[in-house]
Structure formats: structure tokens, C-alpha cells
Amino acid sequence: RWRDARQKSIDFILSNGLGETTINYKIRDWSVSRQRYWGAPIPIVYSPEGEPHAIPEEHLPWLLPDDVDFKPSGTAPLEQSAELKQRVEDLFGQGWTPEYETMDTFVCSSFYSLRYLADSNDDHLVSPPRERAWMPVDTYLGGVEHATRHLIYARFVQMALCDMGFVSVAEPYAGLHHQGLIQVNGGKMSKSKGNAISADSIVSRYGADVFRMFLELLGPYSESYDLLLNRANDATNVNTMTSEEVSKQVRSNVEELIQGPYRFAKRVWAFYTEGERIDDAPDSPEVLRAMNAAIKKVDGDLDALKFNTALSALMILRKEFAKADRISTSTAKAFLVLLSPFAPHLAERLWQLRGWDGLAVEQPWPASKDSDAADVSNQSTLPVMIDGKKRGHLTVPSAVQPDEVEQLVRTFIVDNRLLPTSATIGRVVFVPGRIVNVVTSA
């Protein structure tokens, strides 16, 4: 690979005294203007001599004109506006001209978190008491490309506003988390490649909540998931597949993967709607232990953005409900509250059908009991073998099912980075109470 070749070349030059290493930094121009209509118009006008002048505050805000023809002309769209030209001449005199470019939309979005706190107040950028109470934003979720685009603008504007005394903190966001990508054969989904799948087609068949849970179960929030490579087995050579075969296989894989959350949703629905399985009698010790373990798991995993393992914990809890035949009303309510971040429509509909007051999302978050010794006895720790070599240990509920183990072990391997980038998980062999063996494919 070129990185290896480059390093060997550098090592050769250094060892033979032919040169030395150095780091070069590049400073690039940061453009905030675009030759397009969308975006805030730049509040600058030019005198007949061509000198730029800032538009006085009494004429702000400087609004976009609405008489723009969007047909391509080779010039900025605002240059076609007669209203904008007339506005400038009326305010500043004959021969004065406007700036025809608009600001990059990243500029417009660089302070939206402050305007959310303004409550439609047009007299102030943000209320100082509200800004001090709410800023900085605890967590920013976005794609990795934001780090070199939107976030540069947002941090620059926040720091400038702080220096000017308009805000109290220099950093707009206290934490940053990037989501992974859904890929096909190592690349992004693309209509041009014929491997894109419409979310609408999945939602129309299975519902928005099932689709949401399908995405949550693919893996850790920050890790990418390949709908082709992650499901490939030893008999599948993806490099020899045509684009039509890739598309067909991806759709088949999605259909296979979505069955898990679909079955879960149907079983939750059946438990809450079929028969009298919820009453005011006390829960069994087994249900109480399972409920407490699930609350602890969901609590910790939500904070860590591990939606896949949190949802897996609710799937395990649902099975405990099925084995118990009945649960108490308080436990049934708590389950729907825990479910609401992952399947909000399902949780609220079942809450409504049970005739309970308010909304599930409005209820207090369930609290776990710290001292629950039974939790430990209800779990087992298994060695994880990858291609015959022990690579760690995985703790699972004693009554865990094989299909649940596969999801847990995949998450465990990704979280701990136990596979090289060239390998994917092929088969997962689970021997209850003894071992989990993973067979990879290159």
C-alpha cells in the first residue's frame, strides 16, 4: 500500500542522511459567499467609484428580493433582480449597486442554537438569562463532514459573539458525536449505482417504528454498517457480483434484518392487546429482576448512544414478560416508557389503548434498584473465540436466545475493534453456558 511505501521511502532517506522530516501547514481561504439565491444576502453596497460600504443598521434586515428568475444565466441570481437594484438606488443614490452574492448557508446555521432560545424575539439575538442557563449545547450529533464545514462556522461565530459580549461561553457545543454510515460494498448508497433503497418503501410495509428499530439494531451509533459485506458468507464473492446482483442481495439482506424488530413489535402489540395479561397483582421475582436489569441497561446505553444494546435489553425483557404470562400495571407502564425513545408511535398507541392518562413520553423515567444481587446470578460470562482464538469475554443473560447472542457479540466485536478492516463476521456459533465462537470471512 502507498502508506507503507511512503514510510519505507522516508526511513531510507533518514537512515542514509539524505534529508529530514518536516511538517508543512496550509492556510486556505475561507469563503462565506456563494453565487446563488438561497442564503442571507450580504449587507454590502458599492458606491459609483466601486468602494464597498456596510448597510446602516436602520436598513437591516437586508432581505432577499422575490423577483429573481432562476434560469441559468452565467451570473449570480440576485444580479437579475430589478427590485434589489432599485432598493439600493432609492436608499443610497444613483449609481450605487448591491452585492449580488449571498452568504453560505453554513453562516445562517452557525447560530441557530442561540435563536432557539430567543423565542421569536426580534429585538435581541438571544436572552442573556436563557443563554447562560442553556448554553453550551450538551451534545451535537452530526456527520463527520460537519467537523470541517458547519462546525467551523458555528465555533467561529460563537467565539466572536463571546468576544463581543453577546454570549457567555466561547464554545457552542460541549460534546460531539458522529453517526456511522449505511454502506454497500464499502461505499455509500447511490442511486447511480442502483444500490439505494427507499426508506418510504420500507416504512409503507413495516411502519416507521420498525424501520427506526431496524436502524438502531444495525450496530453502535458511531460505527458504519455495510448491508452487503456485513452479511456476506464464505460462499459469496461480492467482487464478482453485477450491480443488479448487488442490489438484489442488499434488498434481501434488509428484508432478513428487519424481521427481528418486526417480530418484536408484533409480540409487544399482542402482549398488550390480547387477553388479560396486565393487572394490579404483584410481579414475580423473575419479572422484577429482569425489569431492574433492563432499566439499568437502557439507562447506561442511552447515555453512551448505544441504542442497539439498549433495544436488545428490551427484547430480552419482553421475553420475560411472555414467560410470566402476566405483569403488573406499573411494570407494563414502565416498559412502554423505556420503549418510547426507540418506538414512539408503538409505545403511545399501546398506552392509549390501555386507557392510561397522558402520554408515555410524559411519564417519569423508571428508576432501577441499585442493590439487586439476583442480577448477577441471572447472567453468565462466556469466552468469545474469533477463528479459534480467545479475544475476550461477553456477559449475557442466562436465558438469552441464540439470535440475541449474535446481535450482542457483533456489537461487542465492533465496540472493542476486534476485527481487522479486511475481515467481516461470517457465522456465530453459540453453545449456551459455555462459549461463543465467531467465524470470519475475508
Side-chain angles (χ1 to χ4, degrees), residues 381-415:
T381 300
L382 307 174
V384 176
M385 309 290 289
I386 300 180
D387 293 334
K389 296 181 180 180
K390 187 166 71 174
R391 300 301 303 275
H393 292 84
L394 178 65
T395 301
V396 299
S398 299
V400 71
Q401 299 299 309
D403 58 335
E404 297 167 342
V405 170
E406 179 172 353
Q407 177 61 49
L408 292 172
V409 77
R410 286 179 180 275
T411 300
F412 173 79
I413 289 173
V414 171
D415 285 348

Side-chain angles (χ1 to χ4, degrees), residues 209-281:
D209 277 2
V210 171
F211 181 54
R212 182 187 181 104
M213 290 188 288
F214 155 73
L215 295 175
E216 290 163 344
L217 287 169
L218 287 180
Y221 177 82
S222 60
E223 298 290 338
S224 296
Y225 187 92
D226 197 302
L227 288 172
L228 184 65
L229 298 181
N230 283 60
R231 307 299 295 177
N233 54 46
D234 296 336
T236 304
N237 186 350
V238 298
N239 295 322
T240 63
M241 297 172 67
T242 65
S243 59
E244 290 78 11
E245 290 172 333
V246 167
S247 178
K248 182 178 179 180
Q249 187 61 53
V250 167
R251 293 178 185 277
S252 174
N253 291 345
V254 169
E255 192 68 25
E256 176 188 350
L257 287 166
I258 206 167
Q259 295 308 310
Y262 183 48
R263 287 192 299 268
F264 171 66
K266 289 196 298 183
R267 288 165 180 167
V268 170
W269 179 271
F271 188 89
Y272 279 78
T273 59
E274 296 176 5
E276 291 302 322
R277 310 178 76 173
I278 300 172
D279 56 40
D280 292 328

Side-chain angles (χ1 to χ4, degrees), residues 34 104 143 151 178 302 311 336 365 437-438:
R34 295 290 185 270
D104 191 328
L151 288 176
H178 297 310
L302 277 181
L311 187 51
L336 292 185
W365 189 254
N437 191 27
V438 178

Side-chain angles (χ1 to χ4, degrees), residues 203 257 375 392:
V203 171
L257 287 166
D375 283 349

Side-chain angles (χ1 to χ4, degrees), residues 53-290:
H53 295 267
I55 294 175
E57 188 173 349
E58 61 264 27
H59 300 311
L60 299 180
W62 195 243
L63 302 177
L64 283 169
D66 55 13
D67 63 338
V68 173
D69 185 356
F70 293 100
K71 294 180 180 179
S73 64
T75 60
L78 294 191
E79 197 166 344
Q80 305 168 37
S81 170
E83 185 274 324
L84 181 61
K85 296 175 183 176
Q86 189 61 48
R87 186 200 312 174
V88 170
E89 290 197 345
D90 290 344
L91 291 174
F92 301 98
Q94 191 73 25
W96 286 70
T97 56
E99 171 59 63
Y100 294 118
E101 296 198 0
T102 57
M103 294 188 199
D104 191 328
T105 50
F106 283 133
V107 177
C108 301
S109 64
S110 61
F111 54 90
Y112 69 91
S113 51
L114 295 173
R115 289 301 294 167
Y116 275 130
L117 304 177
D119 193 23
S120 302
N121 189 323
D122 293 332
D123 297 326
H124 302 283
L125 173 67
V126 63
S127 164
R130 289 186 181 182
E131 186 273 330
R132 288 192 295 269
W134 287 97
M135 294 296 289
V137 174
D138 291 333
T139 302
Y140 180 96
L141 305 176
V144 66
E145 70 277 2
H146 286 205
T148 56
R149 296 178 187 175
H150 161 68
L151 288 176
I152 291 179
Y153 290 75
R155 296 183 66 209
F156 175 85
V157 169
Q158 182 78 16
M159 291 175 185
L161 291 173
C162 185
D163 290 344
M164 297 166 68
F166 290 108
V167 296
S168 62
V169 292
E171 288 287 353
Y173 311 114
L176 172 64
H177 295 276
H178 297 310
Q179 77 268 22
L181 298 175
I182 298 179
Q183 299 177 319
V184 173
N185 200 19
K188 289 185 178 181
M189 278 190 169
S190 170
K191 290 182 180 179
S192 63
K193 296 180 180 179
N195 59 19
I197 299 176
S198 169
D200 291 341
S201 65
I202 302 176
V203 171
S204 64
R205 292 182 60 196
Y206 294 101
D209 277 2
V210 171
F211 181 54
R212 182 187 181 104
M213 290 188 288
F214 155 73
L215 295 175
E216 290 163 344
L217 287 169
L218 287 180
Y221 177 82
S222 60
E223 298 290 338
S224 296
Y225 187 92
D226 197 302
L227 288 172
L228 184 65
L229 298 181
N230 283 60
R231 307 299 295 177
N233 54 46
D234 296 336
T236 304
N237 186 350
V238 298
N239 295 322
T240 63
M241 297 172 67
T242 65
S243 59
E244 290 78 11
E245 290 172 333
V246 167
S247 178
K248 182 178 179 180
Q249 187 61 53
V250 167
R251 293 178 185 277
S252 174
N253 291 345
V254 169
E255 192 68 25
E256 176 188 350
L257 287 166
I258 206 167
Q259 295 308 310
Y262 183 48
R263 287 192 299 268
F264 171 66
K266 289 196 298 183
R267 288 165 180 167
V268 170
W269 179 271
F271 188 89
Y272 279 78
T273 59
E274 296 176 5
E276 291 302 322
R277 310 178 76 173
I278 300 172
D279 56 40
D280 292 328
D283 290 306
S284 67
E286 292 76 16
V287 168
L288 290 175
R289 282 195 296 268

